Amino acid sequence: MTRSDAAPSEGEPIVAIATPVGVGALAVVRMSGSGVFDIADRVFSKAREPERPLAESPGYTAHFGRLYDGDSLVDEVIVLVFRAPNSFTMENMVEITCHGGPVVTKHVLKLLLDNGCRLAEPGEFTRRAFLNGRIDLLQAEAIGEMIHARSESAYRTAVNQMKGSLSGRLSELRDRLLQSRAMLELELDFSEEDVEFQSRDELSEQVDALQREVTELVDSYQHGRLLSEGVATAIIGRPNAGKSTLLNALLGEERAIVSHMPGTTRDYIEECFIYRNTMFRLTDTAGLREAVEEIEHEGIRRSYEKIAGADLILYMIDISEDDVDEEIPTISRISGEYPGTKLLVVANKIDRTLEAPERMEAIRSACGCAVLGISALQEDGLAGLREEMNAMTRDLDKLHDASVLVTSMRHYEALRNAQDALQNARELIDAREETELVAFELRSALDYIGEITGRVVNEEVLNMIFDRFCIGK
């Protein structure tokens, strides 16, 4: 479907708690939609000007008073009035600031539900802001990314997208695509007269320029993904190599169970830590060996899934074991199967053998990969490991203008499709194919870009995006 650019319309009144449920000084309960002022007037008694209802109050005003359920006092509150279209949803809105605490907010919420509101669905306030044209779909997603940001860089990227930097870039692309397509559509209208309104050489230059810009955005996804999701780091190796101990040491907490019994980790454990503004998404995987039971076999299968999706692999070995050289074929195989993934061999338990330097050098020579010695249990060498991890992933962090980074797989796939459509159009132009075929490919590219900002979108995509939001946002 295509989003309507008509004037915003008010939906049925919805209500939700907009702040985290728990004990606190204050909480916010918000309403939006048709009749919210009348609902508020039924339960709110103003301390000043009680004869003037909220329905007659100007927007951007605050009113102190009390909420009543019949004759029973619920709480002393401050009510904020927002009049359409000058509100987040572009509908009439009321925000009630009450005292914090789950019991208080539950009473306020129930009071408003009993007086005509419906409980909002996840992300429904933001969804209405999108449907009413206040923000585009990309900006709506950026709000969700900002809320869920776990690092400063992810937050900054989301803020840039929320203020419309990427939206503006895509809008410029869309306008230029529209211009090129319009000339071809005009030719189709006069096809019987065999008139060429735009030379094919000029059209080729325009398509080439559009391709370059789309390709630049596609290439920015690697950097944007690392900022928003973190560097996917798989900690792998044999059982009892010290993988869980390393995870706990890097996190600074006992997150994983550590045991001398092999096969303790049956499923992967995933946590994040930040070092020098880079977020690493660590995954402690099941030990790589011949599984002795079905559940361990499944854990090892999942370990290989994590290896396949990793940006950085930390292959842990117990350097104190006399048969450590038997791991060289496995290390070499993983290095060969995933050539685009950074691999660091972490030689653990260097405090337990005097032969650690020689054994590490033998592995380095045989596998051609970086080897670093540590003692995870004693936390010896962890500072150097963090520095090495940061250095190895620095080149993944390609330099791009932070205002135009692509961070979402949905956006990336749409841009890849637009890239393919433009390539098809370019080949059709070179082959002097029918105008209608070229116009079709340009229309496809236009639709793919429209999917990102929400000019062209289906209900399933909207549900997928807004279901990730919390209720109240």
Side-chain angles (χ1 to χ4, degrees), residues 428-445:
L428 290 169
I429 294 169
D430 290 343
R432 297 291 175 178
E433 292 289 351
E434 297 293 331
T435 299
E436 187 173 354
L437 297 176
V438 179
F440 173 79
E441 295 296 344
L442 293 184
R443 280 196 298 270
S444 296

Side-chain angles (χ1 to χ4, degrees), residues 176-185 187 196-212 422 424-430 432-442:
R176 287 160 55 193
L177 262 171
L178 275 171
Q179 291 173 9
S180 297
R181 197 193 96 180
M183 298 303 292
L184 293 181
E185 297 287 353
E187 283 186 21
E196 187 175 272
F197 286 89
Q198 185 178 35
S199 74
R200 291 301 178 258
D201 289 341
E202 184 180 344
L203 182 59
S204 294
E205 291 178 3
Q206 291 177 0
V207 172
D208 284 343
L210 290 167
Q211 273 188 294
R212 285 193 296 271
L422 288 170
N424 292 340
R426 186 68 171 82
E427 292 173 0
L428 290 169
I429 294 169
D430 290 343
R432 297 291 175 178
E433 292 289 351
E434 297 293 331
T435 299
E436 187 173 354
L437 297 176
V438 179
F440 173 79
E441 295 296 344
L442 293 184

Side-chain angles (χ1 to χ4, degrees), residues 13 35-45 54 66-70 111-112 114-117:
V36 293
F37 297 146
D38 294 331
I39 292 172
D41 277 324
R42 287 199 290 270
V43 298
F44 178 63
S45 177
L54 293 175
R66 294 179 173 180
L67 289 181
Y68 286 93
D69 185 358
L111 179 64
L112 299 174
D114 290 344
N115 279 271
C117 279

Side-chain angles (χ1 to χ4, degrees), residues 182-254:
M183 298 303 292
L184 293 181
E185 297 287 353
L186 193 60
E187 283 186 21
L188 291 174
D189 290 340
F190 291 88
S191 57
E192 295 181 0
E193 301 179 23
D194 196 25
V195 178
E196 187 175 272
F197 286 89
Q198 185 178 35
S199 74
R200 291 301 178 258
D201 289 341
E202 184 180 344
L203 182 59
S204 294
E205 291 178 3
Q206 291 177 0
V207 172
D208 284 343
L210 290 167
Q211 273 188 294
R212 285 193 296 271
E213 291 200 40
V214 171
T215 299
E216 183 180 333
L217 291 173
V218 168
D219 291 344
S220 77
Y221 174 67
Q222 170 79 324
H223 179 48
R225 181 184 63 80
L226 294 177
L227 289 181
S228 62
E229 300 177 8
V231 178
T233 307
I235 306 175
I236 67 172
R238 285 180 179 176
N240 280 356
K243 299 183 296 297
S244 297
T245 303
L246 176 61
L247 177 79
N248 291 339
L250 290 174
L251 295 177
E253 61 176 291
E254 296 296 317

Side-chain angles (χ1 to χ4, degrees), residues 350-362:
I350 57 173
D351 55 322
R352 296 189 181 182
T353 177
L354 297 177
E355 298 181 32
E358 292 80 5
R359 293 175 178 177
M360 290 166 57
E361 183 57 37

Side-chain angles (χ1 to χ4, degrees), residues 246-427:
L246 176 61
L247 177 79
N248 291 339
L250 290 174
L251 295 177
E253 61 176 291
E254 296 296 317
R255 176 62 181 85
I257 297 173
V258 177
S259 170
H260 68 281
M261 294 293 292
T264 301
T265 303
R266 302 299 184 92
D267 198 356
Y268 63 84
I269 299 172
E270 193 168 276
E271 292 289 346
C272 293
F273 87 100
I274 297 173
Y275 182 72
R276 296 190 184 276
N277 294 325
T278 299
M279 182 168 67
F280 291 89
R281 185 158 40 87
L282 301 174
T283 304
D284 176 20
T285 63
L288 304 181
R289 66 170 182 173
E290 289 296 324
V292 297
E293 55 186 43
E294 184 178 350
I295 190 170
E296 186 182 4
H297 184 275
E298 175 62 18
I300 293 172
R301 186 191 68 79
R302 295 185 182 188
S303 295
Y304 278 103
E305 281 186 354
K306 289 298 176 181
I307 293 171
D311 302 305
L312 172 65
I313 296 173
L314 301 182
Y315 191 106
M316 290 202 70
I317 58 174
D318 182 347
I319 200 68
S320 68
E321 294 287 341
D322 292 335
D323 64 347
V324 68
D325 59 322
E326 295 180 5
E327 298 205 51
I328 290 176
T330 305
I331 296 171
S332 298
R333 176 175 59 81
I334 289 176
S335 177
E337 288 181 359
Y338 307 101
T341 304
K342 302 293 183 179
L343 174 63
L344 173 62
V345 176
V346 181
N348 192 25
K349 306 180 185 180
I350 57 173
D351 55 322
R352 296 189 181 182
T353 177
L354 297 177
E355 298 181 32
E358 292 80 5
R359 293 175 178 177
M360 290 166 57
E361 183 57 37
I363 293 170
R364 186 180 293 110
S365 299
C367 301
C369 55
V371 182
L372 186 72
I374 68 164
S375 172
L377 186 62
Q378 304 299 325
E379 299 192 3
D380 182 22
L382 289 186
L385 175 60
R386 293 187 186 98
E387 285 290 345
E388 185 67 17
M389 290 169 64
N390 187 63
M392 290 185 72
T393 56
R394 192 175 296 132
D395 62 331
L396 295 175
D397 195 8
K398 296 179 181 178
L399 294 177
H400 287 277
D401 184 349
S403 65
V404 290
L405 287 177
V406 175
T407 60
S408 162
M409 175 60 79
R410 188 182 76 84
H411 305 162
Y412 172 74
E413 290 178 345
L415 286 166
R416 281 292 304 272
N417 289 333
Q419 190 179 39
D420 291 342
L422 288 170
Q423 179 61 30
N424 292 340
R426 186 68 171 82
E427 292 173 0

